[in-house]
Amino acid sequence: MTKRIGILTSGGDCAGLNATIRAVALRAQHGYGWETIGLQRGTLGLLSRPVAAVPLDPRRLDAALARQGGTFLGSTNWGNPFAFPMPDGSEKDRSGEMVEGLRSLDLDGLIGVGGDGSLAILRRLMEPVDLPFIGVPKTIDNDVHRTERAVGYSTAVAIATEALDRLHPTGASHDRVMVLEVMGRDAGHIAMAAAIAGGADVVLIPEVPWRLSIVVDHIAILRRTARTSALVVVAEAAGAAEQGRAETEAVPAESSIGEQLAHRLTAATGAEARATVLGHVQRGAMPTAEDRLLASALGVRAVDLLAAGKADRMVAWWNRTVIDVPLEKVVGRSRTVDIDGAMIRTARALGICLGDS
Ligand code: F6P
């Protein structure tokens, strides 16, 4: 009997989601003769009646889809099913409606593509449903536990690196300190990787406590002895790791960490500093070949797990191969930059200042 499996993308979008959806539908059709249903707008589509879902025809899932950014199914990082924000300002548990919507699709399995937050929500949502669920990790932040790579990270790093490649010549032409603020939520993976690949002079991440005075000294020495410009990368959450900041120090109130840093570096070094806040540009791009490969490998494995009768697991990239791990070991945890790991060692060995020594 032909089986029907569902796939949804949930949480913030990133590059490689379409390649994941494509891989799932192709593997389901070619490997097992199964039909794949695409659930639209993440969990939000489960509240519509009929549920917002479309059958995915593998003949239409060509190479163009693999290279397309975003997710053609749509996604949401809004509206926790268990405390859903209502128009009157109250919160309501709407998980029952979503479960009912899910049941109406008559699926034999569900694949959810999400980051740690979305995977935790989906797992909880699936508890009362007798439906095997497999998670696929995606997030530019690369902070999902028990996988070395999440779909979307490689593309975000490539974009942040390209931004540094572009900031370097303009900074050098004007003797400026160029500050690049990158995303990453509470993890500094994008910042560290881009700083190394893009030849930054300074990188500030939430995992390493830093002091402005150390950054200022580093830039001052650099400007005296080597060159007049500098490249600084700062992760969006790095502010939390700053040590010894004077509470009285004035900074523009509404500005981001990157803008604040540029302002403070100008005041402290006398150099002109400019900030670029990269923002959602890191999410919306065409996926790198690496992200397309990862998406394809993880998507295929997710379907194979359903075929093998597995449930409540996440596919993962580990030690140069695809594995799967229990979802309970993934949710509620986060994988931040290893402060004794290769990335930090490499950055220090290249003379990149982390603001701590
Ligand atoms: O988790 C992905 C991410 O892009 C983070 O890096 C960033 O902090 C956040 O999402 C931005 O979320 P939003 O799109 O809701 O502004």
Side-chain angles (χ1 to χ4, degrees):
M1 209 174 74
T2 304
K3 285 193 174 180
R4 276 157 68 90
I5 61 166
I7 179 162
L8 62 79
T9 49
S10 191
D13 75 297
C14 63
L17 293 178
N18 286 323
T20 311
I21 298 164
R22 175 176 180 265
V24 164
L26 291 182
R27 180 62 176 159
Q29 172 68 49
H30 299 317
Y32 306 100
W34 296 350
E35 184 186 9
T36 304
I37 306 295
L39 281 62
Q40 295 167 307
R41 300 171 62 222
T43 46
L44 282 188
L46 291 171
L47 292 173
S48 307
R49 295 294 179 269
V51 165
V54 281
L56 303 181
D57 180 351
R59 287 168 306 181
R60 294 180 176 274
L61 307 178
D62 63 8
L65 188 65
R67 61 175 178 261
Q68 238 175 55
T71 162
F72 82 99
L73 290 177
S75 188
T76 181
N77 55 7
W78 185 85
N80 177 350
F82 304 94
F84 198 87
M86 302 302 285
D88 66 0
S90 64
E91 287 181 345
K92 187 177 169 191
D93 183 351
R94 300 191 70 184
S95 59
E97 291 167 69
M98 291 188 185
V99 164
E100 190 184 281
L102 204 50
R103 286 199 175 112
S104 75
L105 291 173
D106 206 13
L107 299 174
D108 298 294
L110 180 68
I111 293 172
V113 191
D116 52 349
S118 308
L119 291 176
I121 285 178
L122 287 170
R123 183 167 186 259
R124 191 170 159 204
L125 195 64
M126 298 298 290
E127 264 169 27
V129 194
D130 185 22
L131 189 64
F133 174 69
I134 304 292
V136 178
K138 66 87 209 160
T139 168
I140 64 167
D141 307 336
N142 205 32
D143 59 353
V144 179
H145 199 53
R146 302 287 294 263
T147 183
E148 289 166 350
R149 285 281 179 272
V151 173
Y153 170 65
S154 156
T155 308
V157 170
I159 293 164
T161 304
E162 190 188 326
L164 289 172
D165 293 347
R166 291 170 187 229
L167 290 173
H168 181 247
T170 174
S173 306
H174 290 270
D175 299 339
R176 282 175 170 162
V177 175
M178 304 303 282
V179 177
L180 178 70
E181 177 186 320
V182 298
M183 282 184 167
R185 213 176 280 273
D186 298 325
H189 295 289
I190 299 176
M192 280 309 297
I196 293 170
D201 301 297
V202 177
V203 60
L204 304 176
I205 59 171
E207 293 87 342
V208 177
W210 58 276
R211 283 181 186 274
L212 187 72
S213 57
I214 294 175
V215 177
V216 167
D217 288 351
H218 185 80
I219 292 176
I221 292 170
L222 195 74
R223 281 164 57 84
R224 259 201 323 273
T225 58
R227 62 197 128 82
T228 49
S229 64
L231 280 180
V232 176
V233 180
V234 58
E236 62 180 341
E242 182 174 357
Q243 311 291 298
R245 177 169 178 173
E247 276 179 21
T248 49
E249 193 182 351
V251 284
E254 294 301 310
S255 55
S256 69
I257 171 88
E259 288 162 338
Q260 289 185 15
L261 195 61
H263 177 89
R264 296 168 75 200
L265 287 175
T266 295
T269 64
E272 263 190 335
R274 293 286 187 270
T276 300
V277 180
L278 206 49
H280 291 79
V281 168
Q282 292 156 98
R283 291 208 327 218
M286 185 185 269
T288 57
E290 190 184 338
D291 264 335
R292 295 183 216 180
L293 278 168
L294 182 67
S296 303
L298 296 183
V300 163
R301 175 65 164 248
V303 177
D304 288 346
L305 286 181
L306 287 178
K310 300 277 175 61
D312 201 25
R313 302 188 72 80
M314 183 187 81
V315 291
W317 184 258
W318 200 262
N319 201 13
R320 298 193 292 171
T321 192
V322 185
I323 60 163
D324 55 277
V325 294
L327 264 172
E328 63 168 346
K329 300 256 191 258
V330 173
V331 298
R333 297 158 207 227
S334 179
R335 199 181 67 87
T336 51
V337 176
D338 177 1
I339 57 168
D340 300 315
M343 296 293 271
I344 288 195
R345 279 204 309 276
T346 304
R348 290 195 199 282
L350 292 173
I352 301 176
C353 169
L354 280 84
D356 60 342
S357 57

